[in-house]
Every structure is written in C-alpha cells, then in structure tokens.
Amino acid sequence: MPGLIDAHAHVMASDLNLAGLPKESATLLTARSIPILRNLLMKGFTAARDAGGADWGLVEAVDTGLIPGPRLFISGKGIAQTGGQGDFRARNEVDLPDYCAHALGSMSRVADGVDQVRHAVREELRRGAHQIKIFAGGGIAGGVPLQYSHFTVEEIRAAVEEARAVGTYVMAHAYAAESILRAVEAGARTIEHGNLITEEVARQIAGRAYVVPTLSALEGRFMHADELGLAPVRQRIRDAVDSGLRGIEICRRAGVKVGFGSDLEGIIHPYHWLEFQLRSQVQSPLELVQSATLINAEILQMEGQLGVVEVDALADLVIIDGNPCEDASILINDARPLGVIKGGEVVRYDY
C-alpha cells in the first residue's frame, strides 16, 4: 500500500511543556527528535507535515540520510497573535523573548496587524517553510478557550496572499465553527483540528478547504490526565474527543475532505494507533486509508507522487499482512509493517 502520511506532526515536541522547549539546547532537542522521526518511519509514515517547531536543518538531515525519518514538510513557526493560542508567555512577562521567534523547537512566533503578519510569513518562508501555519483560534494546550477566534480576516488574508505568492498555502489551527469559517473565508486551505464544526459551516467550506482532525492527541491526554495534571479538565478533554468524532461525521455528510493528523507530543508520541481506533467509529476502513494517503497527498500538494501506488510516483510504500482497506484492525492494533520503502529504498524489512 502507499506509505502513510501524518498531516499534523510535531517532531520537535519531545515534551508536552511547549513553552519550555525553546529554552532547551538546540543540540539536545535535535537528539530527542531522532527517535521520534525514526519511529514515525518504522510505523510506515513515509511523509509528515510538521505543524510547528522543525526547521530546514532537520529537513536537510533527513533528506541527506543523516537521520532516518519521513519526508518532512515543515511550517516553521506558527503565527500567533498577542495573548492568543501560541503566545506561551506567562502573564507577568511583558517583553517578547527573542527565542519565541528564533529558537529551535519554538512552536510559534507572535505577530499583530497586517504588516507584522506579512513580515512573519515572509520570514518563515525565507527560512524554508513549505507551508504557513496560523493560530486562528483557541486550543487545548495553551489555555485559551476553544471558542475564541484569533486574528482579523484581513490579517489571515495577508498570510494567505504571501503564501500563495510563492505557490503554497495556509493551514489554520481552529476548533470553533466561527474560527473555521473566518479562516476559510480569508483563504486558508486546511483547518487543523476542527472539532466544533457545524453542519452549516461544513456545507460552506466543502470544496474550499480540508479538515485535519487530531483526536489521538486529546485521547492521549485523557489517558495520562493524572500524571499530566489534567485531572480537573478530564471531562472537558473527553467532550472535545466526542465533538471531534461528530465533526468527522459532519464533514463526511457535507462532502468536506478529511485528512489524517496526530498532533502527538511528549509522552503521547507512540499513539498513532489511537487515531485509527477512534476514527474507525465514524469512518470505514477505506476512508481511513484514503485519509492517511490519497487525501493527505493532496493536502501536501503532492498528488500523483505520494499517497498512491502508481508508475512515476515516489515509491513510498508499506508492506502489510492483510488489506487495511477492508480490515481497519490492521492499523488499529499498531502492528508494525513488515516492510517500509521510502523513495525506492528499503528502510524496514521484517519478513
């Protein structure tokens, strides 16, 4: 079958304390990323879209064979507004630390107003970003309520214009229906998470944007709520997972294409199988496979090259004992593939 694609990875997020990552040694962060990248590849993920944190150096290390890992499509640092999701400063911090914009492992940088957003996008593109990420609303990890919307339509549109000028696109972090619609109206091409999407909004964005749910990151936090200090919000996390499952059903009915993402960080990095397990409640085995291959290849703008088994494709392949298009348990049980081939080179051979 085609190699799997994770359209929302965080290969530099070796710790769930995202605010602390930029303060770590760059060499230590890179060393921690090596097993994350290798495990992705060994699971059959031959490509991954990093949603914040990885840089061009890591791409080069993988491409030249210094580090085993999937093909990386990086976003650089996500663009956040002051006080919004992605602004990890403590309340008593006034100035913006330099590491927010420059340190390896930083998930985001802060920009306000059309001009600052344009500059931030241009800078991330200059540094090698394949696509641009913006935080268009609140989230789970940052403490900003899911229902909050970020950035004006004009600010988002400025990011979209700059990305389109060089042939790429904007991926928008958004959970709430209003945030989703604002981002798509401004030209965002993919919606990350999208748990609270409504029937009406889904109908409006169908054919205009993809949605990339990331349920395993939430389920992983639910499973480890006690040790992560999340016990007081355990029910809120469970509700978000349930909303995400309903969101996938809503998207299916409206004709919105649904990609496959994980958003895994820290101790929950091993839980890709959870994403398949959760989605199997609302998606058929064939739909699951298409999400993680064919649709994700479209999201990466790599149609005909990734996500397919065809002549002239890039020969990213996985060998599995069984047909996952008919039996989702092959993926859910986290059975490591018998073989993984990336770019025609055998990188795993277990049979």
Side-chain angles (χ1 to χ4, degrees):
M1 64 174 289
L4 299 170
I5 303 168
D6 186 344
H8 194 113
H10 285 292
V11 300
M12 295 301 297
S14 53
D15 195 306
L16 281 167
N17 177 16
L18 302 184
L21 286 174
K23 303 172 188 178
E24 294 276 8
S25 159
T27 50
L28 179 60
L29 285 175
T30 303
R32 287 176 177 172
S33 75
I34 294 174
I36 294 172
L37 287 162
R38 184 182 184 280
N39 287 336
L40 264 173
L41 184 60
M42 294 301 104
K43 289 178 180 179
F45 287 90
T46 54
R49 184 176 63 157
D50 189 85
D55 73 343
W56 66 272
L58 206 60
V59 175
E60 186 74 8
V62 171
D63 286 349
T64 57
L66 289 174
I67 298 175
R71 303 175 188 276
L72 287 177
F73 297 80
I74 63 169
S75 308
K77 305 185 190 315
I79 314 300
Q81 70 171 39
T82 292
Q85 185 75 8
D87 183 349
F88 293 114
R89 288 176 294 175
R91 290 183 183 274
N92 63 327
E93 289 184 275
V94 177
D95 297 325
L96 195 67
D98 182 66
Y99 63 71
C100 284
H102 301 290
L104 182 66
S106 177
M107 299 290 117
S108 57
R109 58 186 295 168
V110 174
D112 296 303
V114 169
D115 290 343
Q116 283 190 18
V117 169
R118 286 190 188 279
H119 174 75
V121 171
R122 290 173 180 174
E123 189 66 14
E124 293 308 317
L125 291 169
R126 183 188 71 81
R127 295 179 184 176
H130 296 100
Q131 66 280 324
I132 293 298
K133 179 182 178 181
I134 61 167
F135 290 92
I140 297 293
V144 181
L146 300 182
Q147 294 80 7
Y148 284 17
S149 292
H150 297 340
F151 289 119
T152 64
V153 172
E154 290 73 23
E155 288 171 316
I156 300 173
R157 188 171 290 128
V160 170
E161 289 173 356
E162 295 300 324
R164 285 179 177 171
V166 295
T168 189
Y169 64 91
V170 165
M171 53 189 292
H173 163 112
Y175 283 83
E178 179 182 350
S179 303
I180 293 168
L181 186 58
R182 281 164 51 119
V184 175
E185 291 288 349
R189 186 164 173 269
T190 74
I191 296 296
E192 310 304 305
H193 316 303
N195 296 51
L196 304 180
I197 194 168
T198 63
E199 299 272 4
E200 180 182 355
V201 168
R203 286 193 295 270
Q204 292 187 62
I205 72 169
R208 303 166 62 190
Y210 299 83
V211 172
V212 182
T214 56
L215 305 182
S216 51
L218 296 169
E219 188 71 15
R221 284 173 168 82
F222 180 84
M223 293 166 57
H224 293 275
D226 290 335
E227 61 191 287
L228 295 174
L230 298 174
V233 295
R234 187 192 297 268
Q235 187 56 49
R236 192 184 309 170
I237 297 172
R238 169 53 59 209
D239 292 343
V241 173
D242 293 341
S243 296
L245 288 171
R246 288 193 296 272
I248 293 174
E249 291 184 295
I250 288 170
C251 287
R252 290 177 66 211
R253 289 195 294 270
V256 178
K257 288 189 176 182
V258 176
F260 182 97
S262 67
D263 198 22
L264 299 175
E265 301 160 346
I267 62 172
I268 60 177
H269 263 297
Y271 291 158
H272 278 92
W273 63 273
L274 267 180
E275 192 71 32
F276 290 111
Q277 182 185 67
L278 291 164
R279 291 186 185 214
S280 68
Q281 300 175 48
V282 294
Q283 288 184 289
S284 70
L286 177 59
E287 288 170 333
L288 277 173
V289 171
Q290 289 177 329
S291 289
T293 56
L294 191 65
I295 293 174
N296 274 359
E298 292 179 11
I299 288 173
L300 295 178
Q301 299 180 317
M302 296 289 287
E303 301 98 316
Q305 298 180 70
L306 299 177
V308 292
V309 180
E310 293 180 0
V311 174
D312 294 329
L314 290 175
D316 284 6
L317 304 166
V318 177
I319 302 169
I320 293 178
D321 185 11
N323 185 352
C325 294
E326 297 176 353
D327 180 7
S329 68
I330 295 170
L331 300 172
I332 294 169
N333 292 334
D334 200 27
R336 289 181 178 267
L338 299 175
V340 179
I341 301 168
K342 177 186 169 190
E345 178 184 354
V346 177
V347 295
R348 182 185 183 94
Y349 185 78
D350 289 350
Y351 64 97

